Amino acid sequence: MDARRLYFTEPGAVDIRTESLAAPTGEELLVETLASGVSAGSELLVYRGEFPEDLPVDETIDALDGSFEYPLAYGYAAVGEVIDAGPDADGWVGRRVFAFEPHADRFLTTPDAAVPLPDDTRTDAATLLPTVETATNLVLDGHPRIGERVVVFGAGPVGLCTTHALADFPLERLAVVEPIPARREVARELGADAVVPPAEADELFAAADPPGADLVYELSGRPATLDAAIDAVGYDGRVVVGSWYGSKRAPVDLGGSFHRDRIDLISSQVSTVSPALRGRFDTDRRFEVTFDRLRRLDARSLTTHRVPFSDAAAAYRRLDSREGDPLHLVFTYR
């Protein structure tokens, strides 16, 4: 059986290649893809060639167990239907599943790597599972507390899903900083108390007592924004860096208030759970929480573009240029 798989081939170029796919054996599952979500942050880094060449793609996911080099099959939000299975995999054919798989119209996986989808989970919504899982991990790493003042920099899909989760906490105030007006409106709809452009970020909690935010999330994907995040947090505050910058560099000013104000910079990455939480909160439990968060999220407010898989090259050009301000883009296969 043939399968069409997307490859990033060089900066600014992708190619859909036809490959032979063997029949499933043992416990293998053959999945026909219904939709796959594009992670604009990390996939644009690959598209632009802004990835670190000495870093594995993701050692925790078998389908992504390689290195960042062209040509690269990438993506990790595939939703499909099991159309065939090996002799040792009973009861899977006909089920919809989610898998951390690169963009392709068919792929082989295993029961350990396939997540059965509940009947009430829409296919498009399920392509947001990695985004919601990332937001869940960001909240776990930030440890928001009752009565705190929290700021989220960046209202892309990750920032918006993080805002949606934080809105359930009994915070004093939740603010979002985002330059694009339409995204600020979505942030307000998802529970932000205040939404401001970057020029007004300094004014958010300047008059508070004590001044500054208690907790700040840097989710813009822009290294220079880290300076603004550090400026926004107050004495003994926390800054969670959830952006992956790839090979992008920017000077960070640590010579001002950062040192004297005892600000904590916290690295958050969804491939692992914080060591402080692993005793009771493993990745399986985090995924259960993710499904619960996804049910509460109006995924349609984030899914702005649905594009046929065959038009992938044009879709990445649109993402790169921000034409039409795509938030969450989904490839369709039927």
Side-chain angles (χ1 to χ4, degrees), residues 219-301:
L219 307 178
S220 72
R222 295 183 291 272
T225 305
L226 187 53
D227 271 343
I230 291 171
D231 288 343
V233 77
Y235 180 86
D236 199 27
R238 292 126 37 225
V239 177
V240 177
V241 184
S243 293
W244 181 44
Y245 302 131
S247 62
K248 292 185 292 186
R249 297 289 184 269
V252 179
D253 180 12
L254 301 182
S257 62
F258 169 77
H259 187 70
R260 291 186 177 180
D261 281 355
R262 305 183 64 89
I263 295 168
D264 287 339
L265 289 181
I266 301 168
S267 171
S268 182
Q269 212 285 330
V270 76
S271 292
T272 56
V273 174
S274 168
L277 298 175
R278 289 176 196 168
R280 295 190 56 80
F281 221 104
D282 59 13
T283 54
D284 288 341
R285 184 176 182 184
R286 186 179 67 196
F287 216 75
E288 291 175 6
V289 174
T290 298
F291 262 112
D292 180 61
R293 296 302 320 169
L294 186 64
R295 292 187 188 98
R296 303 183 190 194
L297 177 69
D298 180 10
R300 289 167 293 191
S301 65

Side-chain angles (χ1 to χ4, degrees), residues 1-232:
M1 178 181 291
D2 288 340
R4 295 182 302 147
R5 182 178 294 269
L6 185 144
Y7 283 88
F8 296 83
T9 56
E10 61 182 65
V14 299
D15 185 27
I16 296 176
R17 300 178 179 179
T18 300
E19 303 174 341
S20 295
L21 206 60
T25 62
E27 289 190 339
E28 287 183 325
L29 310 175
L30 175 61
V31 180
E32 186 170 83
T33 311
L34 301 171
S36 60
V38 176
S39 174
S42 56
E43 291 191 44
L44 276 182
L45 290 180
V46 175
Y47 181 74
R48 294 166 176 164
E50 295 175 340
F51 50 79
E53 296 181 1
D54 58 345
L55 187 72
V57 177
D58 195 323
E59 295 171 308
T60 67
I61 300 174
D62 289 342
L64 299 175
D65 188 15
S67 58
F68 280 109
E69 58 183 346
Y70 296 122
L72 176 63
Y74 192 58
Y76 44 82
V79 180
E81 180 181 339
V82 180
I83 60 172
D84 197 5
D88 299 327
D90 294 329
W92 283 90
V93 174
R95 302 181 73 176
R96 279 187 317 141
V97 297
F98 169 88
F100 292 99
E101 285 280 339
H103 303 293
D105 65 353
R106 295 183 184 90
F107 59 88
L108 288 170
T109 187
T110 62
D112 288 344
V115 181
L117 293 180
D119 291 339
D120 62 354
T121 300
R122 293 173 53 248
T123 296
D124 278 8
T127 65
L128 279 163
L129 272 168
T131 304
V132 179
E133 186 183 23
T134 298
T136 301
N137 213 49
L138 290 166
V139 173
L140 289 171
D141 285 344
H143 302 287
R145 301 165 185 143
I146 187 170
E148 285 198 315
R149 301 186 289 269
V150 180
V151 181
V152 175
F153 279 83
V158 171
L160 290 169
C161 289
T162 303
T163 298
H164 181 253
L166 290 167
D168 281 350
F169 282 78
L171 305 173
E172 177 184 314
R173 196 159 179 81
L174 172 61
V176 173
V177 179
E178 166 59 45
I180 301 174
R183 296 189 178 195
R184 293 201 295 268
E185 288 308 308
V186 178
R188 192 183 301 279
E189 292 170 5
L190 292 178
D193 299 309
V195 289
V196 299
E200 299 177 19
D202 290 345
E203 304 170 15
L204 280 170
F205 300 117
D209 185 19
D214 302 289
L215 171 62
V216 172
Y217 287 90
E218 201 301 278
L219 307 178
S220 72
R222 295 183 291 272
T225 305
L226 187 53
D227 271 343
I230 291 171
D231 288 343

